[in-house]
Amino acid sequence: MLDESKYSWLSLEWFTPTGFQSFDWAFPIFLYALPLVLILFLLKWLIGTKIKQKLPVALPKQDIERSWTSYLRVIPNLFTALALAMLIVALARPQRTNEEVEQWTEGIDIVLIIDTSESMQIEDFKPNRLEAAKQTARDFINGRFQDRIGLVIFSGDAYSLSPLTTDYELLGSFIDTEVDFGKIENRGTAIGSAIATGTNRMTESTAASKVMILLSDGDNTAGNIDPITAAELAAAYGIKIYTIGIGKDGKVPYGKDFFGRPNYIENTLDETTLRKIAEIGDGQFYRASDNEALSNVFSLIDQYEKAEIKETRYKNTTDFYPIYAKWGLVFFILFMLSKSTFVSNVLED
């Protein structure tokens, strides 16, 4: 970084490539005039050699060698060229802009509730319902910004896998290693207990928006809390509930027989209850029958539940054209001094 103190303009660093690359230019079009300075003085020299008067003098050959002092005559022209170049750079107005951004967000607290019952092994999703749900949950989490997210899993019981946190890497690790069919021993589908567990995680939340996303593929067959009652309790805490029914109705592939052929079982889903839960929670119900549909559902929810991000930008612009204007003045003064001295009057061969 170039020094910007009182006498820093005397530094030769202002003429280095690094110095020029650090600038923004308000009027960069002027920089195209720099080559014209060189062309101008080249033309001046060519024209001068053609029209300059010459005095024929007869001298011995050994006396007509050019003296080094004859080169001093170019010094005034050099100072003139440098003065013009500095003027052009100053007109291009070199500057630096520092931009500071203040950003804050009204965070959202989100609890993901994932069904891990045996029926989530059904393979109408690839590779199965649970793995599809896990991948979609990972993508959803990675797309959030400064939102606290918690995880609840359930089958015959509900289990709070992670408290509300912004450590998305930790959440991803939990999804990879802890969300599986063997985590909860009791079999069944305790939807009411899952909602109650998620609500318990939200009781001390002070977030502007609290959201619960429930993903299940079956009927409420376990637990000691009715899903509708649990939904009403969540609504009392101001929690919005989205419900996602996962899976197809009718015969679906589940495991393989002795010969490696897929077995088919009859699948049902209590869509009515899931719709009612979403209605009570002022959210929406979605039905997903394959991986793409599930991904689209989470994308919709992601769009609906965006935190309000406020951003304030500050720009501080510093101009550096006075530095080059000062150098231009210095070179002009040197030109005036040199052109009145012997330097410009050196005899030419």
Side-chain angles (χ1 to χ4, degrees):
M1 178 64 68
L2 292 173
D3 181 18
E4 297 172 17
S5 61
K6 183 177 180 181
Y7 298 104
S8 64
W9 70 274
L10 294 171
S11 172
L12 296 179
E13 289 186 55
W14 298 107
F15 304 99
T16 64
T18 303
F20 275 82
Q21 289 172 6
S22 67
F23 291 134
D24 296 318
W25 302 89
F27 308 108
I29 193 171
F30 283 105
L31 296 177
Y32 291 104
L34 284 174
L36 295 178
V37 176
L38 179 61
I39 294 172
L40 177 65
F41 282 88
L42 182 61
L43 289 174
K44 180 177 180 294
W45 176 78
L46 289 173
I47 295 172
T49 58
K50 296 294 184 182
I51 65 174
K52 186 179 296 181
Q53 292 184 350
K54 296 179 181 178
L55 179 65
V57 178
L59 291 173
K61 184 175 182 180
Q62 63 270 19
D63 293 334
I64 63 175
E65 293 183 1
R66 185 184 297 270
S67 172
W68 67 270
T69 57
S70 65
Y71 293 105
L72 294 178
R73 68 180 183 274
V74 304
I75 291 179
N77 288 337
L78 178 62
F79 285 145
T80 304
L82 289 172
L84 286 174
M86 293 302 99
L87 176 61
I88 290 170
V89 172
L91 288 173
R93 197 172 175 179
Q95 55 189 212
R96 294 198 190 109
T97 300
N98 294 324
E99 184 176 48
E100 296 181 7
V101 179
E102 287 186 0
Q103 190 177 74
W104 60 277
T105 175
E106 294 182 2
I108 297 175
D109 282 351
I110 302 172
V111 172
L112 295 176
I113 304 176
I114 301 176
D115 190 345
T116 61
S117 61
E118 286 185 319
S119 59
M120 290 291 285
Q121 299 181 63
I122 293 175
E123 298 170 357
D124 51 352
F125 285 68
K126 301 299 180 185
N128 58 46
R129 292 176 178 179
L130 182 59
E131 289 302 318
K134 288 167 63 174
Q135 181 58 54
T136 306
R138 285 190 210 98
D139 295 339
F140 176 80
I141 290 169
N142 291 333
R144 305 305 295 180
F145 174 77
Q146 293 298 322
D147 296 325
R148 296 196 307 167
I149 300 176
L151 286 175
V152 172
I153 58 174
F154 71 99
S155 57
D157 288 323
Y159 177 72
S160 180
L161 194 60
S162 170
L164 294 166
T165 179
T166 56
D167 189 343
Y168 298 160
E169 186 175 344
L170 177 65
L171 290 170
S173 176
F174 279 144
I175 290 174
D176 290 338
T177 60
E178 301 292 330
V179 179
D180 59 45
F181 302 107
K183 189 69 177 179
I184 299 174
E185 293 183 0
N186 292 344
R187 298 296 90 193
T189 307
I191 295 176
S193 297
I195 295 174
T197 302
T199 301
N200 186 53
R201 279 297 182 192
M202 292 279 200
T203 52
E204 297 181 2
S205 171
T206 59
S209 181
K210 291 174 279 189
V211 176
M212 190 180 295
I213 303 174
L214 170 69
L215 188 149
S216 179
D217 71 343
D219 306 336
N220 185 70
T221 60
N224 53 10
I225 302 177
D226 178 69
I228 302 303
T229 303
E232 290 172 345
L233 177 63
Y237 280 97
I239 301 171
K240 181 186 289 188
I241 306 175
Y242 292 94
T243 58
I244 304 172
I246 183 171
K248 300 175 182 177
D249 286 327
K251 292 187 179 297
V252 291
Y254 182 58
K256 290 181 171 54
D257 62 18
F258 178 78
F259 299 102
R261 295 173 300 189
N263 290 321
Y264 286 87
I265 62 172
E266 194 71 28
N267 180 71
T268 59
L269 173 67
D270 186 4
E271 186 173 306
T272 302
T273 299
L274 293 179
R275 286 186 180 275
K276 185 64 175 177
I277 292 170
E279 181 183 340
I280 294 171
D282 196 28
Q284 293 188 49
F285 166 77
Y286 298 96
R287 185 69 185 267
S289 57
D290 56 36
N291 296 60
E292 184 179 358
L294 181 60
S295 179
N296 290 338
V297 167
F298 269 88
S299 295
L300 282 173
I301 297 173
D302 183 58
Q303 292 175 17
Y304 292 150
E305 299 300 331
K306 283 294 186 185
E308 181 183 356
I309 300 172
K310 294 191 177 180
E311 188 175 82
T312 305
R313 294 182 177 268
Y314 302 90
K315 281 191 175 182
N316 180 26
T317 300
T318 304
D319 279 306
F320 293 91
Y321 67 86
I323 290 173
Y324 296 96
K326 290 176 183 177
W327 275 106
L329 181 61
V330 167
F331 289 128
F332 179 73
I333 292 172
L334 290 174
F335 159 71
M336 295 298 293
L337 293 174
S338 63
K339 85 182 200 59
S340 301
T341 65
F342 73 95
V343 170
S344 59
N345 296 314
V346 173
L347 289 175
E348 299 182 32
D349 294 334

